[in-house]
Amino acid sequence: MAKSELDSISEGGSHPGAYVKDAGNLLITKEMSGQVDPVIIAMLLGEVRIDIAHEQGSDHPCEPSTPYDGISLNYVSVGINAASNDMETEEITLDFGQSAKIQETGELQRQRRCLE
């Protein structure tokens, strides 16, 4: 499906370097619909905040070379401080690898780990 979509947008010549990239296996599948109530999924996603950071890009191999928007997922954890017995909150960033949207092309790049 992605390949046919690429062919249709490439015909106009507006994205000459565009290509299809395999993002791996989808972890949330339609089979889950019988096992996980959609209300539970909505509740969990409601606790996650998506943050976008505008970055300039660099020559480092683990970062896009052109300006991009870095995407991160965060949530706030609530706990009790053992010493003072006061409630504490802590913002936690979910480590799901690097996700970026290239500003010039709109391409989404996904990278689990950069080992360079």
Side-chain angles (χ1 to χ4, degrees):
M1 193 167 137
K3 178 69 173 116
S4 66
E5 196 65 31
L6 176 67
D7 292 342
S8 69
I9 64 170
S10 295
E11 288 175 5
S14 60
H15 301 287
Y19 63 94
V20 174
K21 183 175 181 180
D22 181 3
N25 295 328
L26 183 64
L27 300 177
I28 298 177
T29 64
K30 65 182 178 182
E31 287 80 21
M32 288 179 68
S33 64
Q35 299 170 359
V36 180
D37 188 326
V39 174
I40 294 172
I41 294 172
M43 178 195 67
L44 293 172
L45 292 177
E47 292 295 317
V48 176
R49 187 182 73 230
I50 300 171
D51 287 334
I52 307 294
H54 304 291
E55 306 289 348
Q56 292 304 310
S58 76
D59 292 333
H60 192 281
C62 294
E63 184 177 3
S65 59
T66 61
Y68 67 96
D69 296 328
I71 304 164
S72 64
L73 295 177
N74 306 286
Y75 70 94
V76 175
S77 176
V78 179
I80 301 293
N81 182 312
S84 67
N85 213 25
D86 291 332
M87 185 175 74
E88 291 184 334
T89 60
E90 177 185 8
E91 184 172 310
I92 298 175
T93 299
L94 300 173
D95 182 11
F96 69 103
Q98 179 182 347
S99 291
K101 179 181 178 189
I102 306 302
Q103 291 178 7
E104 184 178 305
T105 63
E107 172 194 3
L108 296 175
Q109 289 187 355
R110 186 84 176 82
Q111 185 173 36
R112 285 300 274 166
R113 293 272 185 225
C114 183
L115 302 174
E116 296 185 34

